[in-house]
Amino acid sequence: MKAPKSLDNLVVMGRIAAPYGIKGWVKIQTFSESVDTLADYPEWQIGRAGSWRAVRILNARLHTNTLVAELEGIVDRDAALALKGSEIAVPRETLPPAPEDEYYWSDLIGLDVINTKGVAFGKVKELLESGAHDVLVVSGDRERLIPFVGQIVKKVDLAAETLEVDWEADY
């Protein structure tokens, strides 16, 4: 299998949640808006802690709102179980451009977060999906959880690597 141009340019799109059945299939927890987005890619990079390997997708389908997949070389439940918790990534250059005023989560990680009064909160560490809306996890002098919604996120400037929020320092 061909490696992507740069392993530094991978975007994590999901993780292997559990084995599915006895023939090596896996259940996928996707991090995309549409559960079946990963099924569009014929090959994934699978790994842990930055150690990636290319895996060809033999079959992928929706099963009760969950993506399940058959991966080349994974032929039984034990092999599938060994992959549990592994991240699934695709090369950044294979993703379609994000629509205007929408962002890939990976683009937001590491941005400096400031409020509308110019107070620096730290950097975006990760994003969490909650039932109501996504949440920015910002690490700085303390950890802050900030809703990623239009009323609060005022400006995302990827070129300047900043994210401006209408959020008070004492929240």
Side-chain angles (χ1 to χ4, degrees), residues 2-3 31 35 41 62-63 65 77 97 116 158:
K2 182 175 79 172
F31 302 151
V35 174
Y41 296 89
L62 284 177
H63 178 71
N65 293 326
R77 186 172 182 83
T116 54
L158 296 178

Side-chain angles (χ1 to χ4, degrees), residues 114-171:
I114 58 168
N115 73 3
T116 54
K117 296 176 183 173
V119 176
F121 288 160
K123 293 186 180 291
V124 177
K125 177 179 161 188
E126 65 179 308
L127 282 98
L128 304 174
E129 185 177 359
S130 72
H133 51 265
D134 298 332
V135 176
L136 297 164
V137 178
V138 180
S139 290
D141 60 334
R142 65 182 177 95
E143 187 171 88
R144 289 181 170 85
L145 302 177
I146 302 174
F148 189 69
V149 295
Q151 300 93 307
I152 294 170
V153 177
K154 296 302 179 185
K155 182 179 178 186
V156 175
D157 188 338
L158 296 178
E161 298 182 356
T162 60
L163 194 148
E164 182 181 293
V165 295
D166 187 4
W167 197 254
E168 295 298 322
D170 59 350
Y171 286 177

